[in-house]
Structure formats: C-alpha cells, structure tokens
Amino acid sequence: LNDCASIYVPQIMNCRYAAVVAGCINIVTVQVAQAAVFLEALSPEERAASLGNTIDLHNLGDSYFTRGDSAWQQRKAELSKRFPAAYVGNSTRQTESDPVVLAATAPLTVLYILSHYSGRLFPNGVPEVIRVHVPGAAYPFEGRGDWSLLSGAVPLGSKLEVSLMLGTPEQSDLVKRPKRRMKTLREEACRTQGAVSVLCFENYYQDVARKLPTPHLVVMFNPGFPQIVRRSWDETLLMLLEQRVPCAVSTQLTSHKGMPVGGQPWSTRFTAEEDEEFPVHATLKAYGADIWGATGSPFPIVTYDFGQGLGHMLKNAAIEIFQGMQAGKQLAKAVSPISPAELTFLKSFHWDEFEEETDLDKEEVREGMETPVSDAWVVATDDAYIKVLEQKQRRGEFKDVSDAVWEKISHAMELMRQHKPVPAKAW
C-alpha cells in the first residue's frame, strides 16, 4: 500500500482519495467491506515526532520471537536502560500516563506472548503472514502503541499483521485519556508501522471476525469477563473455542500479592474482588477451555493507589493462555433468549434511581442484563460472584442489613452455588 497515499474507508461509498482506493481495491477489498482504517506508513522520524520528539524506542533488539524469551527480554533490558522508570520491579510510581509505557506496553506484551509460547503457537513453522487480532481494543491504549517495535522481531520471510478491533474506540481503561483528538490517534495507529501492518476495525469482534482470515493469535487486554456488563464476550469466546484459536487474556490486579515477574507462573486463586485473574480463570474453566497456564506480565502499568491495603491497581499484570476445548469437554450450548418476564422487569425497572445509588452506568448494566448468554457464562458468573459474596459475609459486611435484604442475598447465593439462573430482580 505504499503507493496508495492516505486511505480512510469508513464506508465503501464514503471514501477519501476515491481514485487511489480504486487503484488499490484488490489489496484492500476485505478491509473496505469491514470498515477498516488503513493509512500510509510513518517514517521513524515522523513516528518520533508524533510521540513528542523525546522518545527513542527504535532498535531495542534484533532477536526474532522464534528464539524464545530472549526476544522480549532483550528489548525490555534496552528499554530500561534508556528509560529506567518505565517498568521498575516494586515501584509504586504511577505510569498510566507515561508516554514510553503507553507506546511500549501493548506491542511488547504481544511480543512476550509470541516469544514465550512460540513453539506451541507455530509447531509447523512460522507462516508468511502472522495474523494477530486484538478484540476490545481502543485508541487511548492499544491505539497508542508503537507497533513498529515488533518489526525486528519477525523472522525473515514473514510479516506481521495486527488487527485492532475497536467496538468502543474511545474507551480509556485505566490509562489517562490523550489530549489529542481521536482522529489524530486513528491516523497515527492505523497504518504500516515499520514492518508491521496495523489494521483498525471500528466494529465489535463478533461482527467481523468470521469474515476475516483466521488469526494465529488473539490477545485480549482487560476484557473483564464474566462481569454482567461484559456479556457480549460470550459470543466471541464460543467462536474462538470452536475455531481453536490460541488466545491470551491480559488481566488487571492489585499489587497486594506483589509485582508480577515476566514469564513466571502466576496464581489465579481468589484473593480480592478487585483482582481479575480469578474471574478470568473461572470463566475459562467454566467453558472447558484447554488452559496453557498463567504467568506474570513483563510489562505492567502501575495506576492509582486502590487503598484498603490492596496497593496499586496494575493494568496488564497477568496473562493467561488457552486454546480450544479440553479433551472430553463439549462446547457450551448456544445462548437462550431472555424470557419476556425478565425483559418486562428490566424495561420497567427504576434505572435512574439505580444509577444514582450505585454510581454504575445504567445503560451499560441494562444492556448487559438484556444480553443472552450461554450456560457456560452463567456458571462463570456464579463462580466469580459467589466468592465475592462469601468473602463479604465472612468479613461481617452484611451484619447490619435488614432481615428482608439478607434473605434476598442468601437466596441469590444459594442459586449461584447450585448454578441455577439468578433472575434480574435478584441481581
């Protein structure tokens, strides 16, 4: 596409540089059909300028990811020499607005996964085009990544194609919102970056994935399953398990258990409601996924001090890998529609009062409750939330509630233990 100038195609009938697009249509047909954004390449000098002219992230290493952990270790070591404060062991320095961390974290995490699991990901050798999909992406985080950092890690004869799936493109999850306009972020992200092609699809993954070539790896940053408000992931998980696509899930957690160490095993046992490695593991277990294991991430982002003895919230702290179903396990049944009675209740519920009392987004919660999910998602939700409620009960957090309220809580907990449907009213 180097000869195609700037191309932005939100719709096939709404194109800039239409004549240029027509000349390249054989190359970009799939992207055009799926509302992709693909712009011209930035030179290293232009890329540095977009990051503020003070950040040199080029030439961090030359090891291919096929050589194993040395690929990410080499680059992290060099990055730490240039920017000692970026990823520091037990440091409590917040890095959610650090431009170096924001440029490096997503791309180098993908490099970590490719290198740490290269033998299992590519048992028959590396293909000519390595396709990595990143569903649930957003411009303030994944879109700010300098994906050219992966250029020198791709073996000769191969190229890397990273597809960012931006169903909620402006969401800033635990990172500081950029001052730049979203249009600028889009233009910086969705282009050829070095030897890496970055494609952007402003769609939910489940709406476009089956129309694209099957990826070799899917990476999800902070998907948040099995929360009520993240039920749309159910369809995606069922699809990925059916296709046996290797998947990596990056989770956030608090630092009270210590800082993660890249490549080292990480426990997914339940400790606190705020830590997401347990609910993610419970979800994969409920679906019967074949789990490769969980490790610490070499590239965590330190955010705010959570308090309550839990330390700082760490984004991208632990990574769990899975592929397909365990032997003898069956893929969960297709989703069942929400009953008319449930929909009637949700329609007439006092959502304004709910939002005022809980500080939760009423539209997000309502949409989640109205999204039908598989039995596996229900089991995962039960297994995650019962742990939270039982911990609150042990701590005496329910001792001051009325008998009527406790009866409702107790009934919901019993339904969760039995993996029976918990009605919307109980939630």
Side-chain angles (χ1 to χ4, degrees):
L1 291 172
N2 289 336
D3 297 326
C4 295
S6 296
I7 302 173
Y8 170 49
V9 193
Q11 300 177 28
I12 185 60
M13 297 304 294
N14 181 21
C15 305
R16 290 168 53 198
Y17 304 104
V20 176
V21 172
C24 302
I25 197 68
N26 290 334
I27 299 175
V28 298
T29 298
V30 173
Q31 287 79 12
V32 170
Q34 297 307 322
V37 180
F38 198 98
L39 298 159
E40 82 283 0
L42 276 181
S43 69
E45 293 74 20
E46 291 171 323
R47 186 68 183 169
S50 73
L51 292 171
N53 285 313
T54 60
I55 300 174
D56 178 14
L57 296 179
H58 297 94
N59 302 315
L60 293 179
D62 55 10
S63 293
Y64 300 146
F65 72 77
T66 50
R67 297 176 182 172
D69 286 333
S70 63
W72 68 264
Q73 290 170 346
Q74 181 188 51
R75 286 163 176 81
K76 182 177 182 181
E78 178 59 29
L79 186 146
S80 297
K81 287 181 182 179
R82 300 182 195 179
F83 308 98
Y87 301 104
V88 181
N90 292 316
S91 172
T92 57
R93 172 184 174 268
Q94 293 183 212
T95 57
E96 74 268 36
S97 59
D98 186 318
V100 173
V101 171
L102 291 174
T105 296
L108 291 185
T109 298
V110 170
L111 174 60
Y112 163 71
I113 297 164
L114 288 171
S115 57
H116 193 66
Y117 297 96
S118 60
R120 297 188 69 172
L121 290 171
F122 305 104
N124 300 316
V126 179
E128 182 177 346
V129 180
I130 305 164
R131 295 184 174 90
V132 176
H133 288 180
V134 186
Y139 290 120
F141 178 54
E142 293 90 344
R144 280 154 96 175
D146 185 349
W147 293 93
S148 68
L149 291 173
L150 299 180
S151 294
V154 180
L156 291 176
S158 296
K159 55 185 178 180
L160 180 63
E161 181 182 279
V162 177
S163 295
L164 302 182
M165 307 295 174
L166 303 120
T168 52
E170 299 187 20
Q171 181 178 356
S172 56
D173 189 3
L174 290 181
V175 298
K176 188 175 181 179
R177 287 191 64 85
K179 295 181 180 179
R180 288 166 290 172
R181 295 181 304 166
M182 212 53 55
K183 178 182 178 181
T184 303
L185 288 175
R186 177 190 290 125
E187 292 174 348
E188 291 177 357
C190 312
R191 61 181 73 249
T192 299
Q193 299 186 21
V196 181
S197 297
V198 181
L199 307 180
C200 297
F201 298 81
E202 294 185 353
N203 306 85
Y204 287 105
Y205 190 49
Q206 60 268 27
D207 296 333
V208 298
R210 295 187 186 278
K211 302 173 185 178
L212 301 174
T214 302
H216 301 97
L217 174 67
V218 168
V219 180
M220 296 166 269
F221 290 95
N222 280 37
F225 39 72
Q227 297 175 38
I228 294 294
V229 296
R230 301 296 178 90
R231 283 181 167 180
S232 60
W233 280 103
D234 177 61
E235 184 179 349
T236 294
L237 284 172
L238 291 173
M239 176 186 65
L240 294 172
L241 288 166
E242 182 182 25
Q243 295 179 346
R244 292 193 54 79
V245 176
C247 299
V249 186
S250 163
T251 60
Q252 67 185 43
L253 49 93
T254 52
S255 61
H256 70 107
K257 291 197 293 186
M259 292 292 287
V261 178
Q264 296 301 308
W266 184 264
S267 172
T268 56
R269 65 183 178 86
F270 176 81
T271 53
E273 178 182 3
E274 294 73 20
D275 299 334
E276 293 191 358
E277 73 270 47
F278 170 77
V280 164
H281 180 76
T283 302
L284 301 182
K285 184 178 178 181
Y287 279 78
D290 185 4
I291 300 171
W292 293 5
T295 69
S297 166
F299 305 102
I301 299 176
V302 182
T303 71
Y304 62 95
D305 186 349
F306 197 88
Q308 304 177 35
L310 293 174
H312 286 258
M313 183 62 73
L314 307 175
K315 180 181 176 70
N316 190 47
I319 299 171
E320 190 156 18
I321 312 289
F322 68 97
Q323 180 186 17
M325 302 292 294
Q326 295 179 37
K329 296 285 187 178
Q330 297 294 320
L331 193 66
K333 298 178 181 179
V335 299
S336 302
I338 305 296
S339 71
E342 290 279 271
L343 292 174
T344 299
F345 169 79
L346 292 170
K347 183 178 181 179
S348 60
F349 186 63
H350 304 295
W351 287 107
D352 290 338
E353 182 180 342
F354 166 85
E355 187 172 62
E356 182 178 346
E357 292 188 6
T358 64
D359 289 329
L360 298 174
D361 186 319
K362 62 182 180 182
E363 297 300 331
E364 189 177 43
V365 175
R366 178 176 176 176
E367 182 180 350
M369 297 296 295
E370 292 178 346
T371 301
V373 291
S374 67
D375 292 342
W377 186 276
V378 173
V379 170
T381 304
D382 290 344
D383 290 346
Y385 280 91
I386 190 62
K387 289 286 188 180
V388 174
L389 293 172
E390 287 175 343
Q391 185 180 70
K392 291 181 179 293
Q393 183 181 8
R394 290 194 302 271
R395 292 175 174 174
E397 295 183 31
F398 299 141
K399 64 180 180 180
D400 295 328
V401 304
S402 66
D403 291 343
V405 171
W406 168 244
E407 184 177 350
K408 294 176 181 178
I409 295 173
S410 180
H411 177 62
M413 292 173 67
E414 189 58 33
L415 291 176
M416 291 177 184
R417 292 189 184 100
Q418 298 178 25
H419 292 152
K420 292 183 178 180
V422 178
K425 188 174 183 179
W427 282 111

